[in-house]
Amino acid sequence: MHTGDFKIPQTTSPLAPFRHASFRALWTATLASNLGGLVQAVGAGWLMTTISDSDDMVALVQAATTLPIMIFSLAAGALADNFDRRNIMLTAQTAMMLVSAVLAVFAIAGLLTPWLLLTFTFFIGCGTALHNPSWQASMGDLVPREDLPGAVTLNSMSYNLMRSVGPAVGGLIVAVAGAAFAFALNAVSYIALIVALARWKPQHSPRSLPREAFGSAIAAGLRYIAMSPNLVKVMFRGFVFGLAAVSILALLPLVARDLVKGGALTYGILLGCFGAGAIGGALLNAWVRERWNNETIVRASFLGFALSAALLAFSDKMWLSCIALLPAGACWVLALSLFNVTVQLSTPRWVVGRALALYQTATFGGMAAGSWLWGMTADAQGVATALIASGVALVLGAMMGLRFALPEFGTLNLDPLNRFNEPELQLDLKPRSGPILIMLEYEIAQGDVPAFLIAMALRRRIRIRDGARHWALLRDLENPRIWTESYHVPTWVEYVRHHQRRTQADAEVFDRLLALHRGAEPPRVRRMIERQTVPVRDDTPLKEHTEIP
């Protein structure tokens, strides 16, 4: 039976995740939090236009939100994979509520300067960076695998549903009551999600191994991504999309003020049109995925966003700018939700938090860099020129698909293989005993060597990806039919962890190697622990030589 393939039904209803009560409750609570966050974003963006005359300072409001996600997401992903995700999210939400409350107090007291506003925005972004990997990784805990694409899409839809009304509400609030009231409303909006998280009681699988050390967990996440070519492609395309597409969001306050000649309410309405388009994209997501492959959808998203940027650059009419933002919102959610789902369905559960964190680091890092780049361009050459330049960058991003095509998702079964049984050892090893050397001996016929080397190349990638070090393939000079695969792991517990990371999809490679093995017995496995000896002087009596046990 072939265990490597696992097909996600493409016709699953996009609303199917609502059948699950926990997802439904958290999704609903997230609506309120997203509304508050968007109202706060409008307040911060518009307040910056009133306390600073610099266009790049306005664009830096967006950068201050996204930069922490680029910097801290990987650390947050390591925490998400090793600690209780619910507690992490509760901590993040509570911290953001407190920062938002202090921001409101400073705004009421008239103490905010441009750099102080950016500092508070940065701290709120830090809370988002801590929250997002745990929240995204929790999708697999809230819904079964077949509902995961729908859950990720609904996640995006939750944000964009509020984006369709939140900015307009935020613009109205800022115009009527001022930015300070918008900041206070954001502080209150966290309460619903904090309560919902406190009530959620997720099921936790018992841990058979101790938690990974923080540094080792980060290194394992980086290593896994580096040895997963499909994930590298997704993150590269996500970075390019974030870099180029953020121009519209970063420059929209300036579009409202300088091109359309409006105020805070105009800015909110424009953001609302972007959000309305994003809702349309979320609703069309399943229909689009049924008809086109991932790369086609991503290229269309790049090109559609480029068209919107060009229309915004040449428009001085409110109605035309609103129309231009509709396809931009749809392309935004289609591309980003597809990137997110591809990462989730291409990553086993043990590392999904770190993979999502690295994806967010790439995408939001691109957004932070793009916010600065397009802000500087607007400052030097004007808003319209910056939008046109970003449109050119988006067209180039679409062309990159010719070389870095996005993979299809849903084709691999990444459930644990569970074939490994820990051997009985004759030495009394502690979990941290090591280093451990593993050697596997194969007998391969000369005619099978090319196929064996191809399979071993895949095996090497899997081994290193899952934590092996110093992997090598050796051939016996006296008996060329004998091949030895060797690798190191730091400790015995890391050796066990290495095997627990093996997936059903990985089994295909091992089965191919087993079929090529010509020995009467299965490949022989030797597990050895390295031991050091103390160097001795040549004149030391033999009886005084000491061996380190």
Side-chain angles (χ1 to χ4, degrees):
M1 179 179 178
H2 184 59
T3 59
D5 292 339
F6 188 89
K7 189 66 176 173
I8 296 294
Q10 295 296 306
T11 56
T12 300
S13 168
L15 302 180
F18 283 136
R19 296 175 301 186
H20 310 285
S22 295
F23 176 85
R24 191 168 60 247
L26 288 169
W27 187 89
T28 304
T30 301
L31 285 177
S33 182
N34 287 338
L35 175 62
L38 287 162
V39 169
Q40 190 272 341
V42 173
W46 193 254
L47 181 61
M48 185 62 82
T49 67
T50 64
I51 63 177
S52 173
D53 295 327
S54 172
D55 290 351
D56 61 316
M57 289 297 289
V58 176
L60 281 176
V61 173
Q62 182 74 24
T65 303
T66 54
L67 186 62
I69 299 174
M70 179 189 71
I71 297 173
F72 300 119
S73 276
L74 179 56
L79 293 175
D81 284 332
N82 282 281
F83 292 90
D84 188 301
R85 291 168 183 157
R86 170 179 164 272
N87 290 339
I88 292 172
M89 289 187 282
L90 279 170
T91 300
Q93 292 295 314
T94 303
M96 286 190 286
M97 180 179 68
L98 294 175
V99 172
S100 298
V102 175
L103 172 60
V105 171
F106 271 64
I108 291 170
L111 300 175
L112 286 177
T113 64
W115 284 107
L116 193 55
L117 177 58
L118 288 177
T119 300
F120 278 111
T121 305
F122 180 84
F123 284 144
I124 293 173
C126 290
T128 303
L130 179 61
H131 173 84
N132 278 353
S134 291
W135 173 237
Q136 296 290 343
S138 293
M139 293 300 101
D141 303 324
L142 289 165
V143 302
R145 184 178 172 87
E146 61 269 18
D147 288 339
L148 193 56
V152 172
T153 300
L154 286 172
N155 232 1
S156 297
M157 185 177 175
S158 166
Y159 182 77
N160 289 292
L161 184 62
M162 288 298 98
R163 180 176 262 162
S164 65
V165 296
V169 172
L172 182 61
I173 288 172
V174 172
V176 174
F181 189 82
F183 300 150
L185 179 63
N186 182 42
V188 173
S189 72
Y190 291 108
I191 295 175
L193 186 52
I194 290 172
V195 171
L197 286 168
R199 290 179 175 176
W200 178 39
K201 306 299 180 186
Q203 298 290 327
H204 295 296
S205 302
R207 286 181 176 271
S208 59
L209 295 175
R211 289 189 178 95
E212 292 180 84
F214 186 70
S216 297
I218 290 178
L222 290 170
R223 182 175 59 244
Y224 188 92
I225 300 303
M227 299 305 295
S228 303
N230 285 342
L231 290 177
V232 172
K233 289 180 183 178
V234 174
M235 293 179 189
F236 174 68
R237 299 294 294 284
F239 172 81
V240 174
F241 185 80
L243 177 72
V246 78
S247 61
I248 288 181
L249 292 176
L251 300 177
L252 205 53
L254 303 176
V255 170
R257 188 189 69 183
D258 299 341
L259 299 185
V260 183
K261 309 299 182 184
L265 183 58
T266 301
Y267 173 46
I269 292 172
L270 291 174
L271 269 177
C273 290
F274 185 93
I279 292 173
L283 293 174
L284 290 172
N285 200 314
W287 182 85
V288 169
R289 285 193 293 108
E290 286 177 29
R291 287 159 177 77
W292 293 287
N293 63 30
N294 289 352
E295 179 55 34
T296 299
I297 296 170
V298 169
R299 288 187 199 176
S301 298
F302 271 92
L303 295 174
F305 220 97
L307 177 62
S308 293
L311 286 174
L312 276 180
F314 291 106
S315 170
D316 59 359
K317 302 289 192 301
M318 177 72 170
W319 64 268
L320 181 58
S321 296
C322 286
I323 292 174
L325 286 166
L326 293 174
C331 293
W332 180 270
V333 77
L334 283 171
L336 293 182
S337 65
L338 193 147
F339 291 148
N340 189 303
V341 173
T342 303
V343 171
Q344 294 222 36
L345 294 182
S346 302
T347 311
R349 297 299 301 166
W350 68 267
V351 74
V352 68
R354 281 161 282 185
L356 285 166
L358 283 166
Y359 156 68
Q360 290 185 1
T361 297
T363 303
F364 284 91
M367 291 180 189
S371 296
W372 173 83
L373 174 63
W374 307 125
M376 293 292 290
T377 305
D379 216 19
Q381 303 294 330
V383 178
T385 301
L387 288 169
I388 292 171
S390 70
V392 173
L394 284 160
V395 172
L396 294 176
M399 294 173 62
M400 287 178 184
L402 299 173
R403 177 66 179 83
F404 303 102
L406 205 69
E408 296 301 306
F409 57 72
T411 58
L412 295 178
N413 184 352
L414 299 178
D415 292 334
L417 183 57
N418 293 328
R419 287 187 187 177
F420 177 71
N421 295 313
E422 191 169 347
E424 294 184 7
L425 305 178
Q426 300 303 310
L427 293 178
D428 182 22
L429 292 188
K430 301 295 188 289
R432 299 190 63 80
S433 296
I436 307 296
L437 170 65
I438 312 299
M439 302 180 72
L440 291 88
E441 191 174 280
Y442 299 88
E443 185 176 339
I444 305 298
Q446 180 60 36
D448 293 332
V449 167
F452 175 74
L453 293 176
I454 292 172
M456 268 299 173
L458 298 173
R459 178 78 156 191
R460 173 187 178 274
R461 182 177 59 81
I462 292 169
R463 291 284 196 203
I464 296 174
R465 184 199 68 191
D466 291 345
R469 302 178 182 179
H470 310 304
W471 186 94
L473 182 62
L474 312 170
R475 191 175 193 181
D476 194 310
L477 293 175
E478 298 178 4
N479 184 358
R481 289 173 61 92
I482 303 300
W483 294 76
T484 301
E485 176 194 9
S486 73
Y487 62 94
H488 289 73
V489 287
T491 64
W492 180 254
V493 73
E494 290 302 317
Y495 172 68
V496 178
R497 199 190 308 276
H498 171 81
H499 279 278
Q500 289 188 353
R501 291 169 175 171
R502 199 71 43 78
T503 67
Q504 297 285 345
D506 296 334
E508 181 180 355
V509 175
F510 179 76
D511 291 343
R512 285 165 60 183
L513 291 170
L514 203 59
L516 294 171
H517 176 62
R518 300 304 180 204
E521 300 292 331
R524 184 173 182 178
V525 182
R526 295 180 181 272
R527 305 173 182 91
M528 293 175 262
I529 186 168
E530 292 186 6
R531 282 293 180 256
Q532 302 296 324
T533 56
V534 176
V536 295
R537 299 189 307 271
D538 292 340
D539 58 351
T540 303
L542 184 60
K543 65 181 180 179
E544 295 182 13
H545 288 189
T546 303
E547 180 180 333
I548 303 300

